[in-house]
Amino acid sequence: MKSLRWPMTVISMEVRKILAYRSDFWVNQVGLIIFQVILSYSLWFAIFEFNGVEKMGGYDLTNFIHYYLTAVLVAKAMLGEDIGFLSREIYDGTLNRFIVYPVSIFQYKHITYLVYSLFNNCQLFAIFLFNYFYLHPTPLSEIPWSSYLLGVFASLLSSSLFFMMGCILESIAFWADYIWSLMVLLRMTTNFLGGTLIPLTFYPEWAQEVLKFTPFPYIVTFPIKVFMNDFDSIYYLKNCAIICVWYFIFYLIFRLVWRKGQLKYTGVGI
Amino acid sequence: MEFRIDFYFRIIMDLNYYFISFAFFEIIYLHTNMLGGWSHEQAIIFIAGNLLMDSIVMSVFANNMWWFPLFVNKGDLDHYLTKPVSTLFFISLRDFSANSFVNFIMALSVFIWAIANYSIPLTWWQILVYFLLIINGAILYYIFNMIFYFPVFWTGSPRGFGNLYWILIHSIERPDRIYRGWVRKLFTTLLPFSIMVSFPARLILEEFSFEVLMHILLVTLISWPVYLFVWSRGLRAYSSASS
C-alpha cells in the first residue's frame, strides 16, 4: 500500500492544479468540445449536401458527430500535460529537485501526464452519461459500457505512447534553446496523420497502408474506434500490442537521448 | 539569431502547417468537387490567402500575444505600464519574429503561385484588394485573440481563454459558406473569423460584391473600439501583484 501512496499524492496534486482556474477551465473545455464538433459537422454537412448523399466512407452525419466528439476528447487525452512538461525542468535547472524525490522523474512525469489524460477521459464519460440518460436513443447511448471501459484503457495506452514520443523531443532541450515548436510539430502531425481532422478511411488507399507503419493511427484512430464500438477483440489486442512495441522502441530512444543529455546538464538553468 | 536552433525549428513547424493545410483540402477534394461553393483551384487561392495571413500574424503579433497573459498573471505588466508609450502598442509590437518572416516570404510565394495558376486571370486591383484585406484579416485576428486573452485580468490565470481561441481559429481555415444558421451569424459578426480570409477570397473568386466589402470594413471598425474598451476595463481590474 505504501508504494501506492506517492502516485495518489501526485494524482490529487495534479487534479487540484487542473482545477485551479475554474472559469478558464470550464470555458476552454466546454467551448473546445462544442466548437470542434460544430466545425467538423459544418464541413461534412456541406460535402454531403453538395454530393446529395447520406453516407460517405461508412459514416452518416450522426456518425460524424459521434466520431468528432470522441476525436476531440481522445486528442485532448493524448496531448495530456502542456508543452514543456520536461524541457521546463531542464531550462529552469529544476531537474535537481528530483534527486531528493522518492521517485524517478520519468515515473513522476508519466503519472502526471496520465492524470491529464484520465481527466479528459472522465469528460467523455460525463458526456456518455448525459447522453445515456437524457438524449437516449443516439448512437452514443447504444455503445456498451464495456466498450467505454476498453476505450479508456486504449486511450491511456495511446497517451502513454504519445508521452514517450514527447519525452524524446522534450529531452532535446538539453542541447536546443527552445523546443516548443518541435512539440507543436508533433501535435499537428499526430492530429493530421492520426485521424483527428479527417477519419483515416477518407485518405487515399496508399496513404492508409503507409500510415499503418507509423505510430499515429494507433494513437488517435484506435481509441476512437473502440469508443465507437467499431472493433473486435483481435483488433483490440493487436493494436494494444503494436502500441506496446512502439512504446518500447521510443523508450529505448528516450533512454539514449536522456543519458547523453544528462552529461550536458549544468543544473543552473539557462 | 540568438536562438538559432529554435529559429530553424520554427521554420520547419510552419512549413509543416502549410503542408497539412494543403493536404487537408486535397483529401477533402478527393470526395467532393465543390466545397462552400468553391472548386479545388479556388480553394487553393483561399488556402494561400489563409497562410499569408497566418504568416503575418506569426511574424508581427504572435510572440507578443503569447506573452501577454503571462505578464498579467505574473504582474510583469507593471514594467510596461510605466513606459512613456502606449502600453497596448508596446506589448503588441515589441517583438518581431524573424523566423516567421522567412515563412512570410514562403507564404507570399505560395500566394503568388496560386494566383498565377488560377485559370481565370485576375486583375492587379483584385489581387491588391485581396492582399490588403488579408492584412486587415491579420489585424482582426490580433484584435480577437487579445480579446480572448483579456479575461486574464479577472481570472488571473496564465492563459485566459486562449485555448478556446485556438479551436475557434480553425473556422478561418474553411470557406464561410459551409457554416449555416446561427453558426454563420456568429462567425460573420460577433466572432468574425470568416471575415478574415474567406470574405476577401469571395471578392476575387466571385463577382465583386460591395456589400461583402462593407461588411468586412464595418466589422473591423466596430471591433477596434470594443477591443480598446475591454482593454481599459481589464486594466482597471489589474491587481498588479502576481496571481
Side-chain angles (χ1 to χ4, degrees):
Chain A
M1 286 304 285
K2 201 178 174 184
S3 62
L4 277 178
R5 201 178 294 161
W6 76 262
M8 295 312 292
T9 312
V10 174
I11 290 169
S12 114
M13 217 161 58
E14 290 305 314
V15 170
R16 266 180 282 160
K17 261 201 264 178
I18 293 170
L19 294 171
Y21 298 105
R22 282 185 202 171
S23 56
D24 265 33
F25 176 81
W26 288 111
V27 170
N28 281 323
Q29 296 294 315
V30 175
L32 184 140
I33 295 165
I34 291 173
F35 280 105
Q36 188 92 312
V37 173
I38 286 173
L39 293 184
S40 307
Y41 178 81
S42 302
L43 175 76
W44 288 103
F45 181 80
I47 295 171
F48 274 53
E49 193 182 47
F50 176 77
N51 291 299
V53 292
E54 289 183 352
K55 218 166 186 176
M56 283 178 97
Y59 293 88
D60 60 20
L61 278 173
T62 317
N63 289 141
F64 266 118
I65 295 177
H66 188 182
Y67 182 90
Y68 283 109
L69 185 61
T70 316
V72 176
L73 291 157
V74 164
K76 266 179 65 57
M78 164 197 92
L79 296 180
E81 212 177 338
D82 257 356
I83 292 173
F85 61 87
L86 207 53
S87 56
R88 232 181 352 248
E89 309 276 5
I90 298 167
Y91 292 137
D92 297 345
T94 48
L95 268 185
N96 306 359
R97 64 194 167 120
F98 288 93
I99 296 169
V100 292
Y101 275 23
V103 288
S104 78
I105 182 167
F106 179 74
Q107 288 173 323
Y108 181 86
K109 291 292 173 184
H110 206 152
I111 290 280
T112 55
Y113 198 90
L114 288 183
V115 171
Y116 283 83
S117 303
L118 197 61
F119 202 82
N120 288 311
N121 276 306
C122 289
Q123 286 180 310
L124 188 62
F125 182 63
I127 293 170
F128 188 77
L129 278 182
F130 180 78
N131 194 62
Y132 191 81
F133 290 112
Y134 294 102
L135 302 175
H136 194 85
T138 64
L140 195 62
S141 56
E142 285 160 17
I143 307 277
W145 291 89
S146 57
S147 289
Y148 177 77
L149 293 174
L150 288 170
V152 171
F153 182 73
S155 169
L156 290 179
L157 215 53
S158 65
S159 299
S160 294
L161 175 56
F162 189 79
F163 163 78
M164 211 59 256
M165 292 161 79
C167 277
I168 296 170
L169 295 188
E170 293 262 341
S171 306
I172 293 174
F174 282 118
W175 296 272
D177 29 53
Y178 207 48
I179 55 89
W180 175 85
S181 39
L182 275 186
M183 287 299 286
V184 174
L185 185 85
L186 177 67
R187 285 177 171 205
M188 279 197 291
T189 309
T190 309
N191 277 328
F192 180 64
L193 300 180
T196 315
L197 304 180
I198 307 173
L200 292 184
T201 48
F202 286 86
Y203 284 47
E205 287 282 338
W206 64 265
Q208 290 183 43
E209 285 305 312
V210 171
L211 283 173
K212 280 181 190 165
F213 297 97
T214 69
F216 305 112
Y218 308 101
I219 295 175
V220 183
T221 299
F222 166 52
I224 293 175
K225 279 196 158 192
V226 178
F227 278 123
M228 291 181 77
N229 199 28
D230 182 16
F231 72 103
D232 56 32
S233 52
I234 293 171
Y235 172 85
Y236 189 84
L237 291 172
K238 190 178 144 195
N239 279 271
C240 285
I242 292 171
I243 288 180
C244 290
V245 170
W246 275 114
Y247 182 91
F248 185 66
I249 292 168
F250 287 124
Y251 178 71
L252 291 179
I253 298 171
F254 166 69
R255 291 264 299 183
L256 191 72
V257 177
W258 187 256
R259 277 186 189 164
K260 295 249 179 207
Q262 275 180 318
L263 300 174
K264 296 274 291 178
Y265 181 64
T266 57
V268 290
I270 57 168
Chain B
M1 295 296 285
E2 189 186 357
F3 300 110
R4 269 185 212 180
I5 300 175
D6 181 51
F7 178 85
Y8 296 118
F9 282 169
R10 281 185 185 231
I11 291 174
I12 296 167
M13 176 191 76
D14 282 345
L15 284 177
N16 186 55
Y17 171 66
Y18 295 175
F19 171 77
I20 288 175
S21 299
F22 276 108
F24 177 84
F25 276 89
E26 288 300 324
I27 293 169
I28 292 292
Y29 276 98
L30 284 177
H31 302 280
T32 185
N33 294 324
M34 300 281 267
L35 182 66
W38 288 340
S39 64
H40 179 255
E41 65 166 354
Q42 289 174 318
I44 285 181
I45 291 190
F46 165 67
I47 303 162
N50 184 41
L51 298 183
L52 188 62
M53 189 208 69
D54 178 75
S55 67
I56 296 170
V57 171
M58 294 302 280
S59 304
V60 184
F61 302 118
N63 277 1
N64 303 301
M65 289 192 291
W66 176 259
W67 286 108
F68 169 71
L70 293 170
F71 287 160
V72 178
N73 176 257
K74 292 178 178 170
D76 292 344
L77 193 66
D78 301 2
H79 173 70
Y80 299 98
L81 287 169
T82 55
K83 298 271 178 194
V85 285
S86 158
T87 309
L88 200 49
F89 174 80
F90 193 51
I91 58 166
S92 302
L93 296 170
R94 69 190 181 93
D95 184 8
F96 180 81
S97 176
N99 53 303
S100 293
F101 187 70
V102 174
N103 290 106
F104 168 75
I105 293 166
M106 282 190 267
L108 190 63
S109 311
V110 171
F111 183 76
I112 293 167
W113 165 80
I115 284 176
N117 281 291
Y118 188 44
S119 58
I120 302 166
L122 298 168
T123 58
W124 68 267
W125 68 265
Q126 278 181 306
I127 298 166
L128 182 69
V129 166
Y130 189 35
F131 186 75
L132 290 176
L133 289 176
I134 283 171
I135 294 174
N136 182 71
I139 294 167
L140 271 175
Y141 183 114
Y142 155 77
I143 289 174
F144 280 88
N145 201 347
M146 288 297 276
I147 288 175
F148 270 74
Y149 278 142
F150 286 156
V152 295
F153 282 120
W154 293 276
T155 64
S157 69
R159 289 257 61 94
F161 299 149
N163 289 341
L164 179 59
Y165 190 80
W166 283 106
I167 292 303
L168 285 166
I169 210 66
H170 287 300
S171 57
I172 292 181
E173 298 161 2
R174 317 273 188 267
D176 66 278
R177 284 211 187 86
I178 68 165
Y179 305 117
R180 304 291 170 87
W182 67 269
V183 180
R184 181 173 178 74
K185 280 182 190 150
L186 184 71
F187 287 153
T188 52
T189 53
L190 281 177
L191 300 172
F193 299 117
S194 290
I195 306 261
M196 297 176 191
V197 185
S198 187
F199 268 38
R202 274 170 64 181
L203 287 177
I204 66 160
L205 296 174
E206 299 163 16
E207 203 175 323
F208 186 84
S209 162
F210 191 69
E211 197 182 318
V212 170
L213 181 65
M214 287 309 292
H215 191 142
I216 298 170
L217 297 178
L218 197 66
V219 168
T220 310
L221 285 174
I222 293 171
S223 304
W224 189 253
V226 170
Y227 157 75
L228 291 176
F229 174 75
V230 183
W231 162 253
S232 65
R233 301 296 295 184
L235 272 187
R236 281 190 210 174
Y238 178 54
S239 58
S240 183
S242 169
S243 308

